[in-house]
Amino acid sequence: MEKEPIKSHEDLEVYKMAFDVAMKIFELSKKFPVEERYSLTDQIRRSSRSVCANLAEAWRKRRYEAAFVAKLNDSEAEAAETQTWLKFAVKCSYLDVDTGRELYAVYNRVLGILVTIINNPSPWLIKR
């Protein structure tokens, strides 16, 4: 069975994975305490969404390897930041340990894919 060609960033498995986990975080964070609204809740939502936003930007910068890799690095950093916020959410008992581990593991997969692309960007670049 042949895969569909990738036409946009939304076709990337890493994007789909990051988008889905960001939406899950959004739903779960609705239950965080009100006093966290302007700190942990906003931060975890922002960083999880930023993984996707930076992937979208990277996709559009594929003509220029340095710009492409820079945006992928930003996406990688946001994914790692989100993992940190997940740890805080678990430690503060806003998320149960199993849910935290599950979400953290998704970000480990996202990070693995991003690092693979960063280390070998050539196949993804638009040839001039």
Side-chain angles (χ1 to χ4, degrees):
M1 197 157 169
E2 209 169 300
K3 281 191 167 188
E4 288 291 315
I6 297 170
K7 295 177 184 153
S8 87
H9 64 278
E10 292 180 356
D11 297 329
L12 297 167
E13 283 304 314
V14 68
Y15 178 87
K16 292 175 188 175
M17 198 183 312
F19 189 90
D20 289 346
V21 73
M23 289 307 300
K24 190 165 192 170
I25 286 170
F26 172 72
E27 289 303 322
L28 290 166
S29 68
K30 287 179 180 180
K31 297 183 177 105
F32 288 4
V34 172
E35 63 267 18
E36 290 288 5
R37 179 176 294 140
Y38 299 110
S39 51
L40 186 104
T41 304
D42 281 350
Q43 291 290 352
I44 198 168
R45 287 178 179 177
R46 183 199 54 74
S47 64
S48 66
R49 290 171 178 170
S50 191
V51 175
C52 301
N54 281 298
L55 274 167
E57 287 186 62
W59 183 258
R60 289 298 176 176
K61 294 185 175 195
R62 290 173 297 132
R63 283 178 186 82
Y64 312 100
E65 183 174 344
F68 176 62
V69 170
K71 291 316 290 184
L72 291 174
N73 279 315
D74 291 344
S75 189
E76 178 189 1
E78 295 292 344
E81 179 183 337
T82 303
Q83 287 183 315
T84 301
W85 295 126
L86 287 168
K87 282 185 164 187
F88 277 109
V90 169
K91 276 289 193 195
C92 294
S93 301
Y94 305 151
L95 289 177
D96 65 74
V97 173
D98 290 338
T99 301
R101 281 190 184 133
E102 176 189 316
L103 298 172
Y104 198 94
V106 173
Y107 279 103
N108 275 341
R109 291 195 297 277
V110 167
L111 285 163
I113 294 168
L114 290 172
V115 168
T116 299
I117 298 170
I118 289 165
N119 288 338
N120 185 23
S122 298
W124 300 96
L125 299 174
I126 296 172
K127 312 297 187 254
R128 293 188 230 174

